[in-house]
Amino acid sequence: MADGEKVGAEAFLPERLSLPRMREAAAGCRGCHLHQHATQTVFGEGRRSALLMLVGEMPGDREDLAGRPFVGPAGRELDKALEAVGIDRREVYVTNVVKHFKFEERGKRRIHQTPKRPEIDACRPWLDSEIEVVHPRALVLLGATAAKAIFGSSFTLSRHRGETLPAELAPIVTATIHPSAILRAPSEARQRERQGFTNDLRAVARALAQTA
Ligand code: URA
Ligand code: SF4
């Protein structure tokens, strides 16, 4: 399949949606060119009954190898924040807008490349199917890529971070920074970023508690 060819994940969706069937079908997805170089599809993980869904950008190097979302350094930041606000990760559905790792090889290292609009659009049916099946009460977009995927490219995190956003996808929809932004922050700012991220998740936990 040539780069840029418009195919998309739609053709790979199972006829009847269920998380096990979707995961199995996504493993064979060739909806865009990203499957060619990645190790495997990294599908979302969690229970169908999860009240909270977290949506990241795309699996990273570690996730690509493990086949599971948020198991690398960004995942550790996420786990810390969830623990700090008393959310059990096993109760959360964790996924990404793009399911294959996109990277550039530099020597032995694989450097993350931000997915582009055609890849995000190609992969979108998987995220939509996850939202449909899990039907979360709160949907939290982690970082600008995830937020722009849902709200369009004019969405700016700096303006709308932490707001309850108007969207029909879930009763509560909000966007915050990506946990990898904590790791990228200069060391003197890192703790502040970590605190801000944790506070945003705490607000979601509270909002969820109020709707219980
Ligand atoms: N970054 C993401 O956006 N998703 C992952 O699963 C890991 C790192
Ligand atoms: Fe399919 Fe998404 Fe992977 Fe592209 S990135 S091949 S659309 S699962």
Side-chain angles (χ1 to χ4, degrees):
M1 187 185 308
D3 283 12
E5 195 178 318
K6 281 204 178 60
V7 181
E10 192 73 47
F12 296 87
L13 287 180
E15 229 166 82
R16 283 179 47 231
L17 297 183
S18 76
L19 291 177
R21 273 193 285 262
M22 283 147 52
R23 167 184 295 279
E24 195 187 329
C29 184
R30 277 152 178 55
C32 77
H33 67 107
L34 291 183
H35 72 90
Q36 290 172 358
H37 302 291
T39 307
Q40 58 191 321
T41 305
V42 179
F43 204 67
E45 197 173 80
R47 304 181 190 193
R48 187 169 61 106
S49 59
L51 298 180
L52 172 60
M53 183 182 286
L54 300 176
V55 184
E57 178 187 274
M58 172 186 78
D61 180 72
R62 295 279 302 278
E63 288 78 17
D64 171 77
L65 297 172
R68 299 180 53 206
F70 284 104
V71 292
R76 274 196 296 283
E77 285 295 334
L78 178 60
D79 289 346
K80 271 194 253 182
L82 288 174
E83 199 186 329
V85 304
I87 298 176
D88 186 342
R89 175 150 167 184
R90 289 168 303 184
E91 301 293 328
V92 181
Y93 190 89
V94 180
T95 192
N96 287 299
V97 288
V98 169
K99 268 54 170 176
H100 274 106
F101 180 36
K102 183 182 183 187
F103 59 94
E104 184 188 356
E105 265 169 329
R106 259 188 241 149
K108 285 201 175 125
R109 295 189 54 204
R110 303 192 299 170
I111 310 295
H112 158 279
Q113 285 191 304
T114 304
K116 296 215 165 76
R117 181 51 71 174
E119 294 140 1
I120 292 168
D121 289 346
C123 212
R124 179 67 187 264
W126 291 123
L127 178 62
D128 286 339
S129 70
E130 290 173 297
I131 294 171
E132 187 177 330
V133 169
V134 177
H135 207 61
R137 209 178 285 167
L139 184 70
V140 178
L141 307 164
L142 302 174
T145 306
K148 284 175 192 283
I150 300 294
F151 291 107
S153 51
S154 61
F155 183 90
T156 54
L157 206 49
S158 52
R159 277 188 64 184
H160 298 294
R161 170 179 183 175
E163 286 177 11
T164 302
L165 300 163
E168 284 163 15
L169 299 170
I172 301 164
V173 181
T174 184
T176 181
I177 58 166
H178 192 285
S180 67
I182 300 166
L183 300 166
R184 279 198 311 270
S187 53
E188 66 276 11
R190 202 162 296 152
Q191 200 47 38
R192 195 177 62 229
E193 291 296 333
R194 193 171 275 139
Q195 199 55 55
F197 180 60
T198 306
N199 289 345
D200 286 349
L201 289 187
R202 186 173 291 115
V204 174
R206 290 203 176 123
L208 266 176
Q210 277 168 9
T211 64

